C-alpha cells in the first residue's frame, strides 16, 4: 500500500485489520521501513541512494507519529532525522558516504557499496523507529523531541540492530 502524503492516525489504523494490536501496527511500520531503506541503498546512483534512504526514514516517522495521533511536518522531521544520523557520525561516514561513493567504481564498486550501505541504512532506520516509538509511548510529541536526550539510546539501538 502506498502511504498517504500526510498520513493521519485513521490512515495508519486503516492499513491493518482491527484484530491487530497497536504495537503490531507500529512494528509493521518499522519493519517495512527497514526493508525499504535496505532496498533504497541498492539504488546504483551515488548519493541518490542517500536521498532515498532519508525519504524512507522521514516517511516512517510521519507514519509512526500518525499512529500516536501526532501531526509531523516533513521539514521538521528532516531536521530531526539529520540530527539523529549525525549522532551516528562515525558509522554514517564509513558506511553511507563511503558505500555510496564506491558505486562510482563499475560493477564491484556498486556491489560493495550497496551491501555496506544497506546494512547501515537498515540498522539506522530500525534504531530511529525504535527511538521515536519509545518517545511517543512515553507521551512525547514531535514538538518536545530532543535529539540530545536520546543519543545514547540511539547508539545502543543502532549497535543492537547491526548485530542482528
Amino acid at each position: 500500500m502506498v502511504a498517504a502524503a500526510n498520513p493521519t492516525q485513521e490512515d495508519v489504523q486503516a492499513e491493518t485489520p482491527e484484530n491487530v494490536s497497536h504495537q503490531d501496527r507500529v512494528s509493521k511500520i518499522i519493519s517495512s521501513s527497514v526493508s525499504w531503506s535496505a532496498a533504497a541503498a541498492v539504488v546504483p546512483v551515488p548519493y541518490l541512494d542517500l536521498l532515498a534512504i532519508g525519504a524512507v526514514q522521514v516517511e516512517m516517522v510521519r507514519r509512526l507519529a500518525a499512529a500516536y495521533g501526532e501531526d509531523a511536518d516533513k521539514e521538521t522531521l528532516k531536521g530531526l532525522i539529520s540530527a539523529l544520523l549525525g549522532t551516528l557520525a562515525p558509522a554514517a561516514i564509513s558506511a553511507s558516504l563511503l558505500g555510496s561513493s564506491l558505486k562510482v567504481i563499475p560493477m564491484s564498486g556498486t556491489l560493495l557499496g550497496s551491501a555496506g550501505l544497506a546494512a547501515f541504512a537498515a540498522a539506522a532506520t530500525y534504531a530511529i523507529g525504535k527511538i521515536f516509538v519509545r518517545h511517543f509511548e512515553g507521551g512525547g510529541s514531535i514538538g518536545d523531541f530532543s535529539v540530545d536526550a536520546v543519543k545514547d539510546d540511539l547508539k545502543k539501538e543502532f549497535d543492537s540492530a547491526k548485530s542482528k
Side-chain angles (χ1 to χ4, degrees):
M1 172 178 226
V2 175
N6 207 358
T8 64
Q9 187 172 10
E10 292 79 26
D11 293 334
V12 173
Q13 289 174 345
E15 290 179 9
T16 56
E18 288 298 316
N19 60 347
V20 176
S21 74
H22 177 73
Q23 194 60 40
D24 288 341
R25 282 193 290 270
V26 296
S27 292
K28 182 179 176 186
I29 291 169
I30 294 171
S31 176
S32 172
S33 298
V34 166
S35 297
W36 280 108
S37 288
V42 182
V43 171
V45 180
Y47 310 111
L48 182 58
D49 49 5
L50 298 176
L51 292 174
I53 292 164
V56 168
Q57 292 169 340
V58 166
E59 185 60 24
M60 173 187 67
V61 177
R62 284 170 56 125
R63 292 179 65 210
L64 289 171
Y68 288 93
E70 286 287 317
D71 186 29
D73 71 275
K74 192 175 179 179
E75 294 308 312
T76 300
L77 292 179
K78 282 181 182 179
L80 289 175
I81 290 170
S82 293
L84 288 171
L85 290 174
T87 298
L88 302 173
I93 291 168
S94 64
S96 61
L97 294 179
L98 179 60
S100 189
S101 296
L102 282 173
K103 292 181 180 181
V104 299
I105 302 168
M107 290 197 278
S108 63
T110 299
L111 293 174
L112 291 171
S114 294
L117 185 57
F120 170 80
T125 301
Y126 176 84
I128 290 169
K130 287 297 194 178
I131 291 301
F132 273 98
V133 167
R134 192 173 300 136
H135 178 70
F136 293 138
E137 288 285 331
S141 68
I142 292 294
D144 66 9
F145 185 83
S146 169
V147 172
D148 290 334
V150 300
K151 282 182 181 180
D152 291 336
D153 287 341
L154 178 67
K155 289 176 186 176
K156 287 177 191 169
E157 289 290 353
F158 178 76
D159 290 339
S160 171
K162 279 192 332 185
S163 66
K164 290 181 181 181

